[in-house]
Amino acid sequence: MKREPQRVLDPGLRNPSSELETELITSLDFRGPEEFELGKENDNVYEIENNAQNKPLPCRRDTRQDPKKIRKESDKFNQTPADNELNRLNIRGKIDATMSTSRQESIEGQQYGPVPQRSYDENPTQHFADHHSKSKVKVAPRSSLQFKVGPQFTRTFLVRPIYSNGGRLIIPKIEGRIDRGFEFLNNEWIGYKRNYFTLVAAFQFENYGFEEFTNATYHTIDQENNNLVIMYFALRLTSKCTEDGTSISLVQHTAKRDRGPQFEPPIHPAVPGSLPTHQVIKEAANIRNVGKIQRLNKLFYHNREESLTMEPGLNKYPDNSIFKVARYERIQFASSINYRKPSSSTRRFNLYVELIACLENNEFVTLAFIETPPLIIRGRSPSNYPNTKTSNEQASARNECKQAKKRIDDCSIYTNTAESFQFDSIDSVACAFMSCNTKEREDDQINTFNHMSCVNEYLNCTNSSRVVAGNISSGDSMTYPGTKTTKRGRKRKETSEQPKMKVKMKLNPKVAGKTKQIKIAHAKHMNATVDCDETPKDSIVNIESPIQNLQLDSPNKVSQGTTIESEPNYNFANDNYFVYRNKLSMLSTDSEDLKKDPELAAVLSYDAEENMAPRSLESLTLRHLIKNNQHEHQTVLKDKDCYLPDIFPNRHSAEDSRISIFVTNSENKENLNPDSYDNSKEGLFMEHVDKFQKAEQFSEIQAKLESFNNELFIPSSSDTSRNYLINVFNSSPNQDQSHSSIFENELYNF
DNA sequence: TGCGACACAAAGAA
DNA sequence: CTTCTTTGTGTCGC
């Protein structure tokens, strides 16, 4: 199966450790046209196809052919019947000699245009071993098992004839393969709307070497038999609805996904080439090593320097890259597609790889195409994913939440075990503050603050309770309109409205008895190191970096990816301690203070040049605060459990950092005493207390908060911190277990 | 409801 | 081994 020419490697070379390397070495050894001779090498290709059809799998489309529809489809490809007749005969002799095509179909094809050959040849090789299970098995996102060969394309259908300048009829053959994103379940090819698929395509000309290709010019003809000069050939990926033939948009992402651009799969100007193996595509995904990329490019791109630019077959190609293989990675169906018909039956889609020609007027015309069998694209409905609740169960859970919330509102003492409930009143607290702050804020550069700090401050002021704090999800955190979207942050939806804020209480049953990753980002350049005791295996590691006290280091080098084993019923409420760490503050990066600090100014300048968001959270603020023992505005950390200074943007390691690590466990509660945290310098909130107290809702909210009888649980609502129940300590001194433990256990059972 | 946005976490790349 | 990247998919809220 493997396309592996017998070739002696340079004795200086080690044996290739992967098929990718083999292919790269092979590719380097090839010289010019030899690679494209339809001789030995490509015979192998045909051999593969012949083998592949020994066990054709059934396909619905086989039995549902509709000549009228097919005629219509062919019209769309600008079919000229006479051309097609001619070409089909050629193709049949050369390419499809071994394919099982009925004669009748062939005649129809000659008369009306190409009849898509619907006998999709399922390749009964190892690649398909995974496809025969009845239900989808969950595979890790980066697992190499995500790569699997998808449905086979049809043979090549000709739409227009191609002639060389010698008047010779050229027969193209398109190859395509789906390498990721589709599986064969219950006799159907299934893809997921949210997941990427990968497709590669290439074309060759029958009996036509690469040298011949480059030495010729080409033309096709229009309906009136006028010659149309072909400037260059290209490959294009498109999709249509199987049922009605409507065009379906595809989108391509970069590896950055949400943070990067989205675009339609581009048209790739291409010269003849052959398809790399599935294994090569698999191993070539996401490589970053420059040398590897360069070697790989030899597989995918035509090297112009190696051929004379004035060769007639090549000199009209555009200046940018010419592809030997069109590789489409990270393709998805547009999010707007309807995967159901109004009748609620499932729509199906076909993918097409078209060989197209760019004419002198810069228009593209389709010369030939290959097509997948009908594909089912599963939408985002949880029912399409294993281990998800049905909509009934979800509705029931929602109902449960509502009831829980009501019970909380009705009770002065908190006894519930709700999964999730909401404090509208705290919303109001935050909104009220927000409103005051927005009206009267003087510094437009202040763009973030944490409304939880309002709550904290309020509670601190009134002594009614102590909230260990929490943060709010980035989606809910305040970003004033006009805040720039930057490299560092995710794209933010533009809106003229103030985001609404909510504080949600949420217990995460997944936490109990599970492991958790600690994430520490950007740790560097701190002042002193103190080793803590070796971390026992069954203990909990908390990471603390109160502003004044970044001083401990772990011998275990905790870093992102460090996994903490918890006791079976342990809950991560102890991660409350993180909250103190999270109560770091930030400065407006335009503040005068910051500008006066040369070191920080340098970092800011770097960020500005790189169009990055001010790195206030990661480094500037903390550093500055430590240095000057002051700060202006509060914010929260998001997405990471711990941010520590990263003064310079180069790589760093935990060794460089001085991370405060506490080893504690559920009995070691004193470590979690909020009193151990000096928050006397937190925030400028106190300056705003007056405004805050003027807020309309204030007294109402105050009453509501007090009605909780100092047993207020306010968890963080950031997804990271959502896992941590935000507890009020000392509220239930006689309890063996913290409230959170009870919740956790009951939820887990639930 | 379906979708945009954000988040988590697990495996790959270096 | 550590650090950083990529990507399937869980989740919230509109």
Side-chain angles (χ1 to χ4, degrees):
Chain A
M1 286 301 295
K2 206 162 68 170
R3 182 176 163 277
E4 196 171 275
Q6 297 304 309
R7 203 173 292 274
V8 182
L9 293 177
D10 179 338
L13 292 174
R14 64 184 171 80
N15 280 332
S17 63
S18 69
E19 188 165 347
L20 172 59
E21 286 189 45
T22 308
E23 185 92 10
L24 290 173
I25 293 164
T26 305
S27 166
L28 290 175
D29 280 350
F30 273 87
R31 278 180 196 83
E34 180 192 345
E35 187 175 356
F36 299 98
E37 292 288 346
L38 291 172
K40 328 165 198 172
E41 301 292 337
N42 292 310
D43 284 343
N44 291 342
V45 175
Y46 293 135
E47 220 175 272
I48 291 168
E49 293 191 354
N50 294 345
N51 290 340
Q53 56 181 319
N54 288 342
K55 290 184 185 173
L57 292 177
C59 172
R60 286 191 171 201
R61 189 67 177 265
D62 284 341
T63 57
R64 293 186 302 132
Q65 281 200 42
D66 176 350
K68 285 178 191 168
K69 188 192 294 173
I70 289 162
R71 214 153 43 233
K72 197 177 161 197
E73 279 178 3
S74 66
D75 288 340
K76 283 181 187 156
F77 282 97
N78 303 320
Q79 175 65 29
T80 309
D83 306 337
N84 188 55
E85 180 174 347
L86 186 56
N87 293 347
R88 281 184 72 79
L89 290 172
N90 275 299
I91 280 192
R92 196 160 290 287
K94 301 289 183 185
I95 301 177
D96 297 324
T98 60
M99 295 180 97
S100 55
T101 310
S102 86
R103 199 66 200 161
Q104 184 57 41
E105 191 184 62
S106 160
I107 290 165
E108 264 187 36
Q110 290 173 38
Q111 196 171 352
Y112 297 116
V115 178
Q117 172 81 24
R118 310 296 186 186
S119 60
Y120 302 102
D121 306 325
E122 307 304 346
N123 191 334
T125 64
Q126 57 195 349
H127 298 317
F128 289 87
D130 297 337
H131 287 318
H132 295 289
S133 58
K134 288 287 176 186
S135 63
K136 182 180 158 63
V137 178
K138 203 161 176 171
V139 180
R142 298 297 310 283
S143 167
S144 60
L145 295 175
Q146 295 285 357
F147 282 90
K148 45 181 95 169
V149 175
Q152 285 232 327
F153 282 89
T154 56
R155 61 180 178 82
T156 307
F157 293 103
L158 304 188
V159 179
R160 286 169 177 265
I162 306 167
Y163 298 102
S164 68
N165 49 345
R168 178 173 166 188
L169 180 66
I170 308 292
I171 307 300
K173 177 177 184 294
I174 307 174
E175 291 179 286
R177 188 185 58 239
I178 294 175
D179 285 309
R180 182 192 186 108
F182 286 92
E183 31 191 343
F184 195 69
L185 286 178
N186 303 327
N187 234 16
E188 303 257 30
W189 284 102
I190 311 275
Y192 282 78
K193 194 175 181 179
R194 297 184 78 188
N195 297 357
Y196 293 153
F197 66 87
T198 294
L199 185 152
V200 285
F203 75 96
Q204 300 195 25
F205 289 158
E206 280 283 292
N207 299 322
Y208 213 66
F210 194 72
E211 199 169 332
E212 286 175 282
F213 171 81
T214 57
N215 284 333
T217 60
Y218 303 90
H219 64 271
T220 182
I221 53 172
D222 64 13
Q223 307 274 340
E224 285 87 39
N225 270 356
N226 300 314
N227 280 3
L228 298 172
V229 173
I230 294 174
M231 308 279 280
Y232 59 90
F233 297 96
L235 291 165
R236 172 164 69 188
L237 173 65
T238 57
S239 175
K240 290 183 184 184
C241 176
T242 303
E243 282 81 12
D244 55 21
T246 53
S247 282
I248 303 296
S249 301
L250 298 172
V251 292
Q252 184 162 10
H253 282 87
T254 66
K256 297 299 175 198
R257 197 162 62 180
D258 293 359
R259 294 164 58 186
Q262 297 173 26
F263 43 89
E264 270 193 55
I267 290 171
H268 288 321
V271 293
S274 55
L275 229 49
T277 63
H278 172 68
Q279 187 66 21
V280 167
I281 298 301
K282 186 172 170 176
E283 292 179 26
N286 286 320
I287 55 172
R288 299 191 287 273
N289 179 296
V290 176
K292 257 192 189 176
I293 291 171
Q294 283 171 352
R295 274 173 287 155
L296 195 71
N297 284 346
K298 295 188 190 310
L299 265 185
F300 288 108
Y301 298 99
H302 173 67
N303 187 350
R304 284 189 123 111
E305 323 242 314
E306 278 176 13
S307 58
L308 298 170
T309 49
M310 290 317 290
E311 279 171 334
L314 290 178
N315 64 6
K316 287 176 181 164
Y317 274 75
D319 289 335
N320 45 354
S321 306
I322 301 177
F323 290 77
K324 292 197 285 192
V325 177
R327 182 167 54 145
Y328 292 101
E329 289 185 292
R330 306 189 185 88
I331 310 287
Q332 288 175 296
F333 284 84
S335 63
S336 56
I337 63 162
N338 295 314
Y339 46 90
R340 288 194 188 286
K341 287 182 280 190
S343 64
S344 89
S345 60
T346 314
R347 271 177 118 198
R348 287 175 172 75
F349 305 93
N350 299 82
L351 290 171
Y352 293 85
V353 175
E354 296 173 56
L355 174 66
I356 60 180
C358 180
L359 304 178
E360 284 177 309
N361 57 6
N362 282 329
E363 276 179 20
F364 288 104
V365 294
T366 301
L367 303 171
F369 68 93
I370 56 177
E371 178 195 18
T372 62
L375 307 170
I376 289 178
I377 305 301
R378 285 187 177 167
R380 294 176 55 177
S381 164
S383 62
N384 287 330
Y385 291 88
N387 306 322
T388 49
K389 288 179 178 176
T390 67
S391 60
N392 271 350
E393 284 166 333
Q394 284 176 345
S396 133
R398 272 197 299 275
N399 191 35
E400 193 72 24
C401 288
K402 278 186 187 171
Q403 288 182 16
K405 182 182 167 188
K406 188 173 186 312
R407 284 199 296 272
I408 289 160
D409 285 344
D410 294 344
C411 280
S412 61
I413 294 180
Y414 187 71
T415 56
N416 266 302
T417 59
E419 183 178 14
S420 170
F421 41 92
Q422 223 170 292
F423 289 98
D424 292 336
S425 55
I426 292 177
D427 274 359
S428 309
V429 170
C431 289
F433 174 71
M434 220 18 236
S435 152
C436 296
N437 195 43
T438 307
K439 276 181 209 155
E440 303 187 23
R441 69 200 157 96
E442 289 170 7
D443 184 352
D444 282 346
Q445 300 302 319
I446 303 168
N447 62 10
T448 308
F449 88 111
N450 171 12
H451 79 292
M452 279 306 294
S453 65
C454 308
V455 179
N456 288 333
E457 292 294 343
Y458 160 68
L459 294 166
N460 285 340
C461 288
T462 62
N463 277 326
S464 66
S465 181
R466 275 171 297 191
V467 177
V468 178
N471 58 16
I472 56 180
S473 75
S474 52
D476 294 342
S477 64
M478 299 308 295
T479 302
Y480 284 111
T483 305
K484 285 178 189 169
T485 300
T486 64
K487 243 190 204 175
R488 185 172 285 256
R490 294 182 191 233
K491 279 196 294 187
R492 189 170 285 282
K493 196 178 180 181
E494 287 178 22
T495 169
S496 56
E497 291 175 26
Q498 286 285 339
K500 291 176 187 170
M501 294 188 294
K502 283 181 181 169
V503 178
K504 256 201 167 179
M505 293 181 66
K506 173 114 182 170
L507 306 175
N508 189 341
K510 284 189 288 191
V511 174
K514 300 286 178 66
T515 61
K516 166 168 174 42
Q517 276 191 350
I518 282 187
K519 293 177 185 169
I520 301 173
H522 305 277
K524 200 167 188 177
H525 283 253
M526 299 304 293
N527 296 326
T529 303
V530 179
D531 289 347
C532 68
D533 295 334
E534 191 181 337
T535 313
K537 185 167 181 264
D538 59 351
S539 65
I540 299 301
V541 178
N542 280 329
I543 298 167
E544 182 205 26
S545 61
I547 292 164
Q548 299 86 345
N549 194 27
L550 287 160
Q551 54 184 271
L552 299 178
D553 197 1
S554 166
N556 293 350
K557 292 182 185 172
V558 176
S559 66
Q560 194 228 356
T562 300
T563 299
I564 302 172
E565 295 281 339
S566 74
E567 299 161 23
N569 285 319
Y570 184 78
N571 69 78
F572 278 93
N574 283 358
D575 290 348
N576 284 334
Y577 216 48
F578 282 29
V579 165
Y580 294 114
R581 175 213 63 228
N582 277 358
K583 286 185 76 177
L584 302 178
S585 300
M586 73 177 286
L587 285 169
S588 156
T589 48
D590 279 338
S591 89
E592 292 303 311
D593 285 341
L594 215 51
K595 284 177 184 167
K596 286 175 197 158
D597 185 327
E599 194 176 352
L600 297 186
V603 178
L604 278 180
S605 158
Y606 175 90
D607 281 356
E609 278 175 30
E610 295 291 309
N611 191 29
M612 291 196 296
R615 54 181 68 214
S616 48
L617 288 179
E618 292 101 317
S619 61
L620 298 180
T621 310
L622 187 55
R623 183 180 173 77
H624 190 84
L625 292 172
I626 293 164
K627 205 167 166 183
N628 300 305
N629 197 26
Q630 63 174 42
H631 58 284
E632 291 179 356
H633 302 289
Q634 287 199 330
T635 187
V636 294
L637 300 172
K638 58 181 188 180
D639 198 27
K640 297 284 186 287
D641 296 327
C642 182
Y643 283 84
L644 290 171
D646 173 19
I647 299 304
F648 299 108
N650 42 355
R651 283 171 70 93
H652 52 267
S653 70
E655 261 181 305
D656 300 325
S657 66
R658 315 293 158 86
I659 304 165
S660 167
I661 304 281
F662 260 79
V663 177
T664 182
N665 55 41
S666 47
E667 269 100 57
N668 198 10
K669 294 274 177 157
E670 59 271 21
N671 276 347
L672 306 177
N673 188 336
D675 290 334
S676 69
Y677 178 64
D678 174 11
N679 66 351
S680 60
K681 296 186 177 60
E682 283 287 344
L684 81 167
F685 180 84
M686 291 307 288
E687 294 172 29
H688 292 282
V689 166
D690 285 348
K691 302 170 193 169
F692 179 48
Q693 291 184 341
K694 284 175 197 159
E696 272 182 22
Q697 303 95 324
F698 182 73
S699 55
E700 181 192 330
I701 293 157
Q702 187 177 31
K704 182 67 97 178
L705 290 176
E706 283 168 0
S707 77
F708 289 112
N709 198 21
N710 293 351
E711 299 205 12
L712 183 61
F713 286 69
I714 303 181
S716 154
S717 61
S718 112
D719 269 10
T720 298
S721 306
R722 196 174 282 143
N723 295 335
Y724 314 141
L725 190 66
I726 305 306
N727 207 338
V728 179
F729 287 93
N730 305 322
S731 59
S732 308
N734 296 324
Q735 270 186 270
D736 291 328
Q737 287 178 285
S738 71
H739 283 23
S740 53
S741 301
I742 297 169
F743 278 88
E744 210 61 82
N745 293 338
E746 296 201 14
L747 270 174
Y748 204 56
N749 295 333
F750 173 73

